[in-house]
Amino acid sequence: MKLIKNLAMSIIAAGIFSACGGSKQAATTTKSNVVQESYQELDRCEKYALQKPGSRAVGEGYDYRVSYAKTYAEGQARAEMRRKIEAAILSASSEDGDGYEKHASSGNEGASVRDEGAKKNIATTQIAEGIVKNTAVVEMSKYVRNDGSYHVYVCIEYMDGISKMAENIAKQVEQQVSDDERMKMNFEFEKFRERIENELKKQK
């Protein structure tokens, strides 16, 4: 009788330990698309953006609401791409002395030069903003920080590729320059497009 009692106790104990082990395993296999933040050299969105420099840009945002953090990250990514496009336009247009902003600011008085220069800066920004509108989010990472807020990375991309982007930028720049100015500059569209593309590819 004592042997039977001991055997029953052993079976019950084994069942309890088995149940505990099973519940623990279920808890550890629960999947989530948000992970605890761990500091690393580069996030996967940053690595993804580096695969196509010029046509991709990355941003990050923080907030206790994940949707807000994503919105902030998208805004930062688009601002980064605008800066890259503006820099590419200014650099490409200044090569060989045929910068369109130089010809537009060739007045005799300093005030006139400043006014025309400001107009061209505005035009460059408008061109960049128009290009950025044709981007889409292609990659996103979400992390939970120690304080419970979200850290979101977003990568955006100009989906038609860097060559098409350079072509569209060059076309818009060409439209900003009068026929007379194009003649003075000896403006060659294809060469300018190539310089824009090369400048964009340099961007990191």
Side-chain angles (χ1 to χ4, degrees):
M1 188 70 178
K2 186 174 181 181
L3 180 62
I4 294 172
K5 186 176 179 181
N6 288 340
L7 182 61
M9 293 282 288
S10 298
I11 292 171
I12 293 170
I16 291 171
F17 284 120
S18 176
C20 289
S23 63
K24 184 176 181 181
Q25 184 179 10
T28 56
T29 56
T30 302
K31 293 183 178 180
S32 174
N33 63 347
V34 179
V35 297
Q36 189 69 29
E37 182 172 33
S38 60
Y39 292 97
Q40 51 191 339
E41 188 174 341
L42 285 176
D43 176 76
R44 64 192 179 97
C45 281
E46 294 174 307
K47 293 176 182 177
Y48 193 68
L50 289 174
Q51 293 173 11
K52 289 186 178 180
S55 61
R56 289 177 181 169
V58 67
E60 57 183 318
Y62 304 88
D63 200 89
Y64 286 96
R65 294 187 182 182
V66 68
S67 60
Y68 286 9
K70 180 176 179 288
T71 298
Y72 299 148
E74 283 185 47
Q76 191 181 87
R78 290 190 168 90
E80 177 64 18
M81 183 168 281
R82 277 195 300 271
R83 287 192 292 270
K84 290 179 178 180
I85 293 169
E86 289 173 15
I89 293 171
L90 294 174
S91 182
S93 66
S94 65
E95 288 185 27
D96 302 324
D98 63 2
Y100 82 104
E101 79 283 354
K102 291 181 181 178
H103 286 275
S105 58
S106 58
N108 294 323
E109 297 183 12
S112 175
V113 171
R114 286 193 298 272
D115 289 345
E116 292 299 335
K119 288 177 184 177
K120 289 305 175 183
N121 286 336
I122 292 170
T124 301
T125 300
Q126 289 173 341
I127 290 169
E129 287 177 349
I131 297 296
V132 169
K133 286 179 181 178
N134 292 322
T135 60
V137 174
V138 291
E139 192 70 42
M140 183 174 70
S141 300
K142 294 184 288 185
Y143 302 95
V144 178
R145 305 173 78 199
N146 291 332
D147 61 359
S149 64
Y150 292 96
H151 183 185
V152 175
Y153 287 89
V154 163
C155 177
I156 63 170
E157 181 177 350
Y158 186 84
M159 303 305 294
D160 293 332
I162 197 166
S163 293
K164 188 66 175 178
M165 181 197 281
E167 181 182 342
N168 288 339
I169 292 170
K171 282 181 179 177
Q172 292 186 53
V173 170
E174 186 180 30
Q175 291 170 4
Q176 297 288 335
V177 181
S178 70
D179 292 339
D180 289 342
E181 287 169 346
R182 277 199 293 272
M183 290 179 66
K184 291 177 185 176
M185 292 160 55
N186 192 24
F187 186 91
E188 295 183 47
F189 177 82
E190 186 56 30
K191 287 185 178 180
F192 185 70
R193 186 205 65 76
E194 289 176 359
R195 289 204 297 270
I196 288 284
E197 184 171 348
N198 289 334
E199 289 298 328
L200 289 170
K201 286 179 178 178
K202 293 177 186 177
Q203 304 284 359
K204 297 296 183 181

